[in-house]
Amino acid sequence: MRRLLMVLLTIIGCSWSATASAWNCSVSINNIDFGNISPISTTDYTTTGTGTLTCQFFLLDLGPLLIPTVTTVVSLGLGTNSTSALPRNLGNGSNRIEYNLYVDGSYATPKIWGGASVPGAPSTISPTFSSLLGIGTFSTPFTVYAKIPAGTTLPSVPVVGNNNNTVYTSTLVATYSAAACGLLSIIGCPVSTGSASFNVTATVINNCTILASPMAFVSTSVLSSNVRSTSSLSVRCANASSYQIALNGGSVTGNVANRQMRNTATGETIGYRLAATLDGATLWGDGTAGTSMVTGTGTGATVPLTVYGLVPAQASPSPGDYKDTVMATIYF
């Protein structure tokens, strides 16, 4: 009888160990995509991703027996193209975009997702849940927060290859440790560990903005000599983006080689010219009728351009206000 009792205890002990090792958890994280971003944006880009903690409990798992509570710690490495978590970087070749991932929507520096082994980013994600019976498969989602700051570095991010939209990316690995403890944790709280990888991407779009200021010639009574004036254009284009700026023929004549201002009261006109240089050697137009367009390559910064206006000596019309409206168009 004593020998039989010892055999039964040995069998039961093996059963506890085998069933306890069958319990497991896994973590999956969906890829995070910022979508299209303009490097000359003045506002931050934010988005979110979703992860899932999934745990399986089997009948007679004697570790987390009865109302198990799973506590998980999910840490994150630096990711490819990054040498630090302050900040992390998306990459395309040798080019980089600063970004980061956070454990909540505050996007505060102390909430950068990392772990104990990540300098400056100790915060982790900790999904938890409880089960009444502790049998079956259970899952719970968690959210990852991502931000690309407008800041001072985003404008320098270039588009690559003939003004093409450019994808920047990073691959990251998250590691997790999940412990399950129940009301009757006979052999302690078993732990499940593992890792999950996911990608973060952003598409830098080729983009430009342009603003114009009015041109006003000084008042004069007789057009017996040249009258000059200037106005300005402000151009901002993505780094490495080539552009061309055209000025149309105006609302009066629509002719880039023969612009005119009109007196709306009398219908009389005054001829004038627009050029990109003070000497006015070449008219600024759309590339037709002997005119040329202004060309350049963006740096991400705002570039001022001067438009030089000239009213040449000509027969003086009736006094009054003479106007024309010219459209500036940027091609990139």
Side-chain angles (χ1 to χ4, degrees), residues 22-300:
W23 175 87
N24 67 82
C25 283
S26 64
V27 168
S28 62
I29 302 172
N30 296 331
N31 293 333
I32 299 173
D33 187 4
F34 283 97
N36 291 339
I37 68 168
S38 169
I40 59 176
S41 171
T42 57
T43 58
D44 298 338
Y45 286 93
T46 60
T47 189
T48 58
T50 302
T52 305
L53 168 67
T54 302
C55 294
Q56 292 180 300
F57 300 94
F58 299 93
L59 186 64
L60 296 181
D61 271 357
L62 299 183
L65 184 65
L66 292 181
I67 316 180
T69 297
V70 177
T71 303
T72 311
V73 175
V74 187
S75 302
L76 185 67
L78 298 181
T80 57
N81 301 314
S82 299
T83 58
S84 168
L86 300 171
R88 291 182 171 92
N89 288 278
L90 303 176
N92 180 291
S94 61
N95 301 309
R96 298 289 183 266
I97 298 177
E98 293 184 355
Y99 84 105
N100 234 318
L101 300 176
Y102 301 81
V103 301
D104 64 26
S106 70
Y107 300 104
T109 298
K111 297 299 183 178
I112 293 174
W113 185 16
S117 63
V118 182
S123 294
T124 57
I125 293 177
S126 301
T128 62
F129 66 84
S130 297
S131 170
L132 180 61
L133 297 178
I135 299 173
T137 301
F138 305 89
S139 63
T140 186
F142 58 89
T143 301
V144 180
Y145 299 83
K147 183 177 78 170
I148 294 175
T152 58
T153 62
L154 185 58
S156 65
V157 174
V159 291
V160 178
N162 195 27
N163 290 16
N164 291 328
N165 292 349
T166 305
V167 176
Y168 286 72
T169 187
S170 180
T171 299
L172 298 102
V173 177
T175 58
Y176 61 88
S177 175
C181 294
L183 292 181
L184 298 175
S185 295
I186 297 175
I187 61 172
C189 302
V191 175
S192 179
T193 62
S195 63
S197 64
F198 63 99
N199 296 323
V200 178
T201 58
T203 301
V204 174
I205 61 172
N206 186 30
N207 193 26
C208 290
T209 61
I210 185 170
L211 296 173
S213 64
M215 177 181 291
F217 292 95
V218 297
S219 298
T220 184
S221 57
V222 179
L223 298 177
S224 58
S225 60
N226 294 339
V227 180
R228 298 181 182 274
S229 185
T230 62
S231 66
S232 63
L233 298 177
S234 296
V235 177
R236 190 180 187 192
C237 287
N239 190 15
S241 172
S242 58
Y243 61 83
Q244 295 177 304
I245 301 173
L247 300 181
N248 73 0
S251 59
V252 175
T253 66
N255 187 336
V256 291
N258 183 31
R259 295 186 177 96
Q260 295 181 10
M261 292 179 280
R262 175 181 287 129
N263 183 325
T264 56
T266 67
E268 295 171 279
T269 60
I270 295 175
Y272 74 101
R273 302 170 185 171
L274 297 177
T277 57
L278 179 60
D279 61 15
T282 303
L283 297 183
W284 189 347
D286 57 9
T288 65
T291 65
S292 65
M293 292 186 284
V294 170
T295 62
T297 300
T299 64

Side-chain angles (χ1 to χ4, degrees), residues 12-22 187:
I12 293 173
C14 290
S15 175
W16 287 349
S17 176
T19 56
S21 65
I187 61 172

